[in-house]
Amino acid sequence: MKHHKVLPRWVGPAVIVALCGYLFINVLQCQMTISTKRQELASIQTELSEQQAQNEELSRSLDDDEDAIIERIAREQGYARPNERVFYDIGGK
C-alpha cells in the first residue's frame, strides 16, 4: 500500500489566487508600458511631421534658388553669359 501525501484543501485555491494576482499585475504593467510607448510614438510622429515639412521647405527653396546658386558659383569661377561684359572692382575697398 502506497502512502500519498495529501495537500491541504486550501493550497489549490491559494495557488490559483496567487497566479491570478500575478497575471493581473502583469497585465497592468503591460498596459502602462503600452501607454508610455504610445505617447513616445505620438511624440516621434510629431517630430517626423515637423522634419518632413522642414525638408519640403528646404527642397522648394533649393528648387527656386537653384538657378541663382548655379549663376553665383559660375560667376565666382570667372564664367559669364554670352555677350555679357564683366567688370571687376579693383578699388580695394
Side-chain angles (χ1 to χ4, degrees):
M1 181 176 204
K2 286 187 173 182
H3 183 65
H4 293 285
K5 286 188 173 181
V6 177
L7 295 175
R9 289 186 177 198
W10 61 270
V11 172
V15 169
I16 291 173
V17 167
L19 181 62
C20 288
Y22 169 77
L23 293 175
F24 180 74
I25 291 171
N26 196 14
V27 167
L28 287 178
Q29 288 175 340
C30 287
Q31 289 296 327
M32 290 171 44
T33 302
I34 289 170
S35 176
T36 302
K37 295 300 180 186
R38 282 186 177 156
Q39 289 173 351
E40 288 178 21
L41 177 61
S43 174
I44 290 171
Q45 286 175 332
T46 301
E47 288 179 30
L48 175 62
S49 296
E50 291 171 358
Q51 188 63 50
Q52 285 174 335
Q54 185 180 9
N55 287 351
E56 288 174 12
E57 183 179 331
L58 289 172
S59 179
R60 271 186 267 120
S61 175
L62 272 177
D63 290 341
D64 293 345
D65 296 336
E66 186 173 340
D67 291 336
I69 293 170
I70 291 172
E71 185 175 344
R72 180 181 53 82
I73 293 171
R75 287 187 185 281
E76 287 173 358
Q77 293 180 1
Y79 293 103
R81 293 181 183 224
N83 299 324
E84 181 180 42
R85 290 176 132 185
V86 179
F87 297 95
Y88 296 100
D89 181 11
I90 57 170
K93 285 188 178 182

